[in-house]
Each structure stands twice: as structure tokens, then as C-alpha cells.
């Protein structure tokens, strides 16, 4: 078995190079760069580590593990997330992926981990072989498909009786309450407390804006509008013929608005991500108003897209109906390392969420 070790800051340059060499296939093929700090995204996900396999001082592959507190099956639980599974193209089918998977399992067992999740982009078939019960890892269960909506930005204001504004620090207790009520209706929602909302409100607005939609002075929905580019950069490496045919005419109007500046192959896609959306009940009107305001702000900032992932069974997806967008598909998988299949099954019956600002 090939040796695997924990990565350190000294490995940053090699990890950045490995990331550039391993794009994700799909309808839109993307390379997710991590300039200038590979570890920045991992720190946003939560506490975790990166494992690497190397030979002769050269890193041939990596995998990351991070943990976060989430709501799952009606209780707060620790979820481990496995990501960044990358093997250099010239080192595939040489046991590197197997060594990384086994090394990750040993690390997780040492930590006493139970729930383990991963997200697989549609079209990325290579990863699926690792989810079928190999290397003494229990088989993963699919939690269903999520549609990653890349919504075109717009000049239109919300145009409803909901007022959308920036949150203030004094809103933090109410926002935490609304989020707690909303997130517990879903599976794998991150646990966020009042202090988390306060820090987000006080964050640099160029990086994070906390929006609230209210009516008659009562907050009905809230969420974060987050600039992902400080941690990762999406670069288009390929497009399907059908998508290329759709985007080509839009680029003709690129001089009129950022919404029409659709990147070509080799160009970066500037993105703002919606995160931690919360509503009182199914307040679709409030959520729709907030999404519209997010699109308007993104356009003003020169961004062509706002992204958000919605599960196929999520009733809130109706708030996005009719908005012009491109869709990238992905699938969420979950397993229990401690032999709790009933827990996994209960989660699978619910509606999972995933934070695509961090995926």
C-alpha cells in the first residue's frame, strides 16, 4: 500500500498545481482553482485535514476531510465531509486513489466519525466506484439529486410588498431563531448560532452580505450573499454542444450587461453564492424577493451569475421558478461508519441541503 500523510502549508503550491490538473467533467466542465491558498476553502468548511500521497517529493493525489455540526434526523450531529479527491492524470490506475481512500478511512475511524457525506457532480463517474462499499467503507446511500442553479443576474428590483435590506447586528437574535426553525425542516443543515449570524453581518460587505426580507417590520426570510472567489475560482474547461449553442448568442450582448458576459472555455466564471437561506414556514414570496435582490446586487457588482443548490424534493424550489439560469446537476451521498443504517435511511427520507459556496 502506498504511503499517505497529512498535508502542510509547505504543500500549498503543489496542491494548487494538482487542482489545476484535475478539472471536473460535466455538461459544463469546470476546473476549480484555489488560488492563492488551497487551505482557505477547507477552513471555511470547518475543522479538517488534507491527506496527500507522494512519490519522490511530488504529490500525486489528495483527499480532504472536514467536519461540521448539522441537523440530521431531528438532532444535532457531527457530519464529516469528504472532498477534493484528486489524482494526477498520469498517476491514475496506479493505486493512488485506493491509498487515499484507505488513509482517509483510517483517519476517520481514529476520530470516531460516524456520518460521512460527499457530493458528486453529474458526469463524474470515476468517483462512484469508491461509494459502492469498497475498502471496508459501508456503501453510500444516495440522498437524491440537487440542481445547482446558475442564475443570470438582473436589473429588476424585487417589486413586491416585501422590503429587502441589509441585516444589522441587532437582527442577529431574530435571524438565528428563523434559521433554527427553518433549517430543522431539512437534513444536513449546518448549525448556526446567533454569533455566527452576527459575524456574517459584520463581515466585509465586499465578501458577504446578509439580506433580510421583511413585511410590516417582521422578518420573513434571510440569507447570505457570499463572494466565493477568495477561496475558489471556477474556470470553464468545456461545454456541451447544446449549451455552447445557447450561450453564443448571449455573448453578443456582453457589452450591455454583465448578465450576458458568459465565459468561454478557459475563462473564469465570477460567482456570488446564496447561503443559509431561511424562511418562516414556506414564505415563497419573501424568498423570491430576496433572490431577486441578490441578482440585482450581483449585476451591480459585475457578476454574471448567482448560484444556489436546490434538492429535487425541496418545496422552496418554486421560489426560483421562471428565473433564467443554467443548471449543473450533482448528487449527495451519505453513509454511517459506525453501522447505523437506520439513521442514514431516516436522513434519506428527508430533504438534504448543501452549501455550494464550499463544495
Amino acid at each position: 500500500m502506498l504511503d499517505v500523510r497529512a498535508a502542510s502549508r509547505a504543500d500549498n503550491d503543489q496542491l494548487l498545481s494538482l487542482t489545476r490538473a484535475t478539472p471536473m467533467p460535466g455538461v459544463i466542465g469546470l476546473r476549480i482553482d484555489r488560488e492563492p491558498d488551497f487551505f482557505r476553502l477547507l477552513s471555511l468548511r470547518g475543522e479538517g485535514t488534507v491527506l496527500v500521497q507522494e512519490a519522490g517529493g511530488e504529490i500525486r493525489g489528495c483527499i480532504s476531510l472536514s467536519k461540521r455540526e448539522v441537523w440530521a434526523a431531528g438532532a444535532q450531529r457531527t457530519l464529516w465531509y469528504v472532498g477534493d479527491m484528486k489524482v494526477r492524470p498520469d498517476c491514475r490506475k496506479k493505486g493512488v486513489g485506493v491509498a487515499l481512500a484507505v488513509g482517509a478511512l483510517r483517519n476517520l475511524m481514529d476520530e470516531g466519525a460516524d456520518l460521512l457525506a460527499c457530493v458528486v457532480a453529474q458526469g463524474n463517474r470515476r468517483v462512484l466506484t469508491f461509494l459502492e462499499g469498497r475498502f471496508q467503507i459501508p456503501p453510500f446511500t444516495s440522498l437524491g439529486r440537487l440542481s445547482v442553479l446558475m442564475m443570470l443576474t438582473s436589473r429588476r428590483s424585487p417589486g413586491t410588498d416585501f422590503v429587502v435590506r441589509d441585516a444589522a447586528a441587532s437582527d442577529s437574535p431574530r435571524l438565528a431563531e428563523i434559521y433554527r426553525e427553518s433549517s430543522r425542516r431539512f437534513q444536513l443543515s449546518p448549525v448556526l448560532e446567533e454569533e455566527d449570524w452576527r459575524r456574517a453581518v459584520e463581515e466585509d460587505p465586499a465578501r458577504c452580505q446578509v439580506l433580510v426580507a421583511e413585511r410590516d417590520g417582521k422578518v420573513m426570510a434571510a440569507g447570505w450573499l457570499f463572494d466565493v472567489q477568495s477561496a475558489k475560482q471556477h474556470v470553464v474547461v468545456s461545454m456541451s454542444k447544446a449549451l455552447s449553442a445557447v450561450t453564443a448568442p448571449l455573448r453578443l450582448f456582453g457589452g450591455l450587461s454583465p448578465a450576458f458576459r458568459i465565459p468561454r472555455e478557459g475563462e473564469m466564471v465570477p460567482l456570488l453564492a446564496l447561503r443559509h437561506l431561511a424562511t418562516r414556514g414556506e414564505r415563497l414570496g419573501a424568498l423570491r424577493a430576496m433572490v431577486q435582490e441578490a441578482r440585482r446586487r450581483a449585476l451591480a457588482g459585475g457578476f454574471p451569475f448567482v448560484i444556489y443548490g436546490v434538492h429535487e424534493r425541496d418545496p422552496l424550489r418554486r421560489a426560483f421558478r421562471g428565473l433564467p439560469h443554467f443548471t449543473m446537476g450533482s448528487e449527495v451521498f451519505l453513509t454511517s461508519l459506525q453501522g447505523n443504517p437506520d439513521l442514514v435511511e431516516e436522513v434519506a427520507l428527508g430533504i438534504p441541503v448543501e452549501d455550494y459556496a464550499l463544495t
Side-chain angles (χ1 to χ4, degrees):
M1 180 65 67
L2 302 174
D3 291 333
V4 171
R5 65 168 176 82
S8 71
R9 289 281 172 179
D11 297 313
N12 186 62
D13 288 346
Q14 285 203 63
L15 287 169
L16 293 176
S17 178
L18 176 63
T19 299
R20 289 191 292 269
T22 51
M24 299 186 305
V27 175
I28 302 178
L30 290 175
R31 189 183 77 228
I32 301 181
D33 291 346
R34 302 274 280 272
E35 306 288 346
D37 181 1
F38 181 90
F39 298 92
R40 163 71 174 155
L41 185 61
L42 190 70
S43 67
L44 291 175
R45 289 176 185 159
E47 181 183 345
T49 188
V50 178
L51 302 177
V52 298
Q53 195 285 315
E54 67 178 0
E58 293 188 356
I59 291 177
R60 308 200 299 175
C62 73
I63 192 170
S64 71
L65 304 168
S66 55
K67 67 176 180 178
R68 64 187 75 158
E69 292 301 303
V70 302
W71 294 109
Q76 182 175 330
R77 306 177 192 273
T78 299
L79 174 74
W80 285 84
Y81 176 83
V82 58
D84 299 323
M85 179 67 159
K86 305 176 188 299
V87 176
R88 217 170 63 196
D90 61 327
C91 296
R92 289 171 186 162
K93 298 183 179 181
K94 296 182 179 180
V96 176
V98 173
L100 290 167
V102 172
L105 177 62
R106 289 173 179 167
N107 188 289
L108 290 165
M109 298 307 290
D110 289 345
E111 293 282 349
D114 185 11
L115 288 180
L116 177 64
C118 67
V119 176
V120 178
Q122 185 179 11
N124 189 0
R125 309 302 303 176
R126 290 193 300 263
V127 177
L128 295 182
T129 59
F130 290 93
L131 308 180
E132 298 170 348
R134 302 171 66 191
F135 319 119
Q136 299 181 320
I137 301 175
F140 281 74
T141 296
S142 171
L143 303 186
R145 178 175 173 173
L146 290 100
S147 297
V148 186
L149 307 179
M150 296 178 62
M151 295 171 280
L152 292 173
T153 52
S154 170
R155 287 191 174 89
R156 290 184 58 187
S157 61
T160 69
D161 56 348
F162 292 96
V163 175
V164 182
R165 62 171 176 83
D166 292 295
S170 58
D171 292 313
S172 300
R174 284 187 295 172
L175 301 183
E177 176 188 354
I178 293 169
Y179 178 79
R180 190 177 304 113
E181 171 195 326
S182 181
S183 63
R184 294 188 71 167
R185 302 197 302 267
F186 297 88
Q187 302 289 347
L188 311 185
S189 299
V191 174
L192 297 178
E193 304 296 349
E194 179 180 334
E195 185 56 31
D196 297 306
W197 284 91
R198 187 181 302 277
R199 281 198 299 268
V201 169
E202 295 173 347
E203 174 69 90
D204 178 359
R207 182 157 44 188
C208 181
Q209 303 170 59
V210 179
L211 305 180
V212 297
E214 60 185 7
R215 184 167 59 189
D216 299 327
K218 186 174 184 180
V219 176
M220 297 294 184
W224 302 8
L225 185 60
F226 188 78
D227 184 354
V228 305
Q229 293 178 108
S230 64
K232 62 177 182 177
Q233 305 86 39
H234 296 74
V235 178
V236 176
V237 296
S238 64
M239 282 190 184
S240 68
K241 290 183 179 179
L243 188 57
S244 295
V246 171
T247 57
L250 292 177
R251 293 195 188 98
L252 297 176
F253 301 95
L256 301 177
S257 168
F260 297 114
R261 294 172 194 162
I262 310 300
R264 293 179 170 83
E265 292 183 17
E267 294 180 343
M268 190 178 75
V269 187
L271 296 174
L272 289 181
L274 285 167
R275 304 180 65 192
H276 311 314
L277 298 186
T279 63
R280 290 189 184 275
E282 293 185 12
R283 302 283 182 169
L284 297 180
L287 181 57
R288 176 82 170 201
M290 195 167 60
V291 172
Q292 290 282 46
E293 175 63 11
R295 294 173 65 216
R296 190 190 69 79
R297 292 189 180 202
L299 181 68
F303 293 87
F305 298 109
V306 173
I307 65 168
Y308 186 67
V310 289
H311 190 265
E312 56 192 347
R313 296 194 299 272
D314 191 341
L316 298 182
R317 69 183 298 137
R318 288 176 290 166
F320 300 89
R321 189 172 294 165
L323 298 178
H325 67 274
F326 300 107
T327 301
M328 295 185 296
S330 65
E331 197 167 355
V332 182
F333 292 87
L334 184 72
T335 191
S336 166
L337 298 178
Q338 301 297 332
N340 294 313
D342 292 343
L343 174 58
V344 173
E345 183 178 352
E346 185 173 352
V347 173
L349 292 174
I351 302 170
V353 297
E354 174 61 28
D355 186 353
Y356 280 90
L358 305 183
T359 300

